[in-house]
Amino acid sequence: MQEELAIEIRNATVKLEGFEALHDFSWSVRRGERWFVLGPNGAGKTTLVKLMLGMVWPLYGATVSVLGNRYGSCDLYEIRKRVAWASPFLNTWAADGSYRRWTAREIVLSGIDSTVGFFRDASPDEIKRADAALEMIQGGAIADRYFDRLSSGEQVKALIARALISDPELVILDETCVYLDLTSREILLKAIDDLASRPNAPTMVFITQRIEEITKNFNRGMILKDGRIFTQGSRDEILTEHNLEETFGMPLKLEQSSNGRIWPVLR
């Protein structure tokens, strides 16, 4: 059973500066599954991402295992090489020019080494892989531009390509659309959906606060509210008017488009 699980979290309570960000949290994700995690600001989504990456630790008595490795008895650096994390919150780190300035291509290449910034010479094959990852999300035009000179949306494209280059076993997409305009968002969501629909797709977790960003291939879901799991299950069980009204505290009507995406409308 353990080998079938990409993520296993048991009885995890996380306190940050005295505030309980996650409470008695238990969740498991099988390898190959595609999950969305939905919740408003302050629900605990960011803390959950940090917990999966080993950036925060739960109180004593909890279990956190990723890709069959229990945190506390494994090499986190080696695990992170097998996990791709894409987040606009990486922008600040990647754009920090205090050491040196990197091009978008170099940021993408850094995904191979699981670093933020590239600290060695790339081989011709690695450069081809970086350019192919950028082209996958229509980002080829930014390859040679300095990352800190890109728009927020262009920076996110580079970070998504960074996640894709490493052929990861687990992909965590952390509010990746937050800075994107409508066109860029749809291009990115199509690239994510194309990746999710591949026969050999990695396990994927899509973190969002926007219902309409959840594409049809994310067929398992969880709603977080106030640091607790409000509900979890199949996509159809989770994305209901009742659940979303309870989560966001607003009267909502849901409209489904032909591509399976769901759009909320105020009643």
Side-chain angles (χ1 to χ4, degrees):
M1 178 67 175
Q2 180 68 27
E3 293 182 355
E4 297 177 0
L5 294 178
I7 302 168
E8 184 178 25
I9 302 172
R10 294 283 176 250
N11 308 118
T13 295
V14 179
K15 285 191 174 182
L16 302 175
E17 299 180 352
F19 172 75
E20 199 170 272
L22 285 179
H23 175 78
D24 197 21
F25 182 92
S26 295
W27 181 46
S28 61
V29 175
R30 290 179 177 270
R31 288 179 183 265
E33 287 186 333
R34 297 173 296 277
W35 279 74
F36 63 86
V37 177
L38 178 68
N41 288 335
K45 302 187 300 298
T46 299
T47 303
L48 174 58
V49 171
K50 291 180 177 179
L51 185 64
M52 289 189 284
L53 294 171
M55 297 170 70
V56 298
W57 292 84
L59 299 183
Y60 180 79
T63 298
V64 179
S65 297
V66 172
L67 301 176
N69 296 269
R70 182 169 177 170
Y71 285 4
S73 59
C74 64
D75 185 339
L76 275 177
Y77 178 71
E78 291 301 318
I79 303 306
R80 286 172 183 164
K81 287 182 179 179
R82 300 160 59 191
V83 178
W85 173 40
S87 169
F89 308 112
L90 279 168
N91 289 27
T92 301
W93 296 350
D96 181 4
S98 58
Y99 176 76
R100 57 159 289 189
R101 298 173 75 192
W102 285 284
T103 64
R105 181 187 289 110
E106 288 171 322
I107 292 297
V108 176
L109 285 164
S110 73
I112 298 172
D113 296 339
S114 195
T115 58
V116 181
F118 200 55
F119 299 91
R120 61 178 175 83
D121 293 329
S123 70
D125 178 65
E126 288 173 333
I127 292 173
K128 287 181 181 179
R129 287 170 59 191
D131 288 345
L134 281 165
E135 287 295 342
M136 185 182 298
I137 55 168
Q138 299 187 25
I142 67 174
D144 294 311
R145 294 171 57 192
Y146 283 119
F147 185 85
D148 61 349
R149 294 299 185 188
L150 300 177
S151 69
S152 296
E154 290 169 333
Q155 288 180 346
V156 171
K157 283 187 177 183
L159 293 170
I160 291 288
R162 174 185 177 274
L164 298 178
I165 194 175
S166 60
D167 194 22
E169 296 175 50
L170 170 63
V171 175
I172 300 171
L173 300 162
D174 181 13
E175 307 224 35
T176 48
C177 299
V178 68
Y179 294 135
L180 300 183
D181 61 27
L182 179 61
T183 302
S184 297
R185 183 182 76 166
E186 293 307 310
I187 290 170
L188 180 57
L189 289 177
K190 183 180 185 307
I192 290 170
D193 217 32
D194 288 347
L195 175 64
S197 64
R198 293 178 184 176
N200 60 343
T203 307
M204 299 179 70
V205 178
F206 184 81
I207 314 287
T208 186
Q209 57 181 302
R210 296 173 180 167
I211 303 157
E212 67 274 13
E213 292 177 359
I214 303 170
T215 63
K216 61 183 179 181
N217 278 307
F218 289 85
N219 52 16
R220 302 285 297 167
M222 171 172 64
I223 293 178
L224 274 179
K225 184 179 180 183
D226 299 325
R228 302 168 186 261
I229 296 176
F230 175 71
T231 186
Q232 62 176 308
S234 71
R235 177 189 177 91
D236 291 340
E237 292 171 333
I238 301 306
L239 298 180
T240 67
E241 290 179 357
H242 170 75
N243 285 342
L244 296 172
E245 285 181 350
E246 289 293 314
T247 300
F248 293 99
M250 303 178 72
L252 296 174
K253 179 178 176 57
L254 301 182
E255 301 287 348
Q256 183 166 312
S257 59
S258 59
N259 63 7
R261 299 223 333 249
I262 295 173
W263 301 76
V265 179
L266 283 176
R267 290 185 186 275

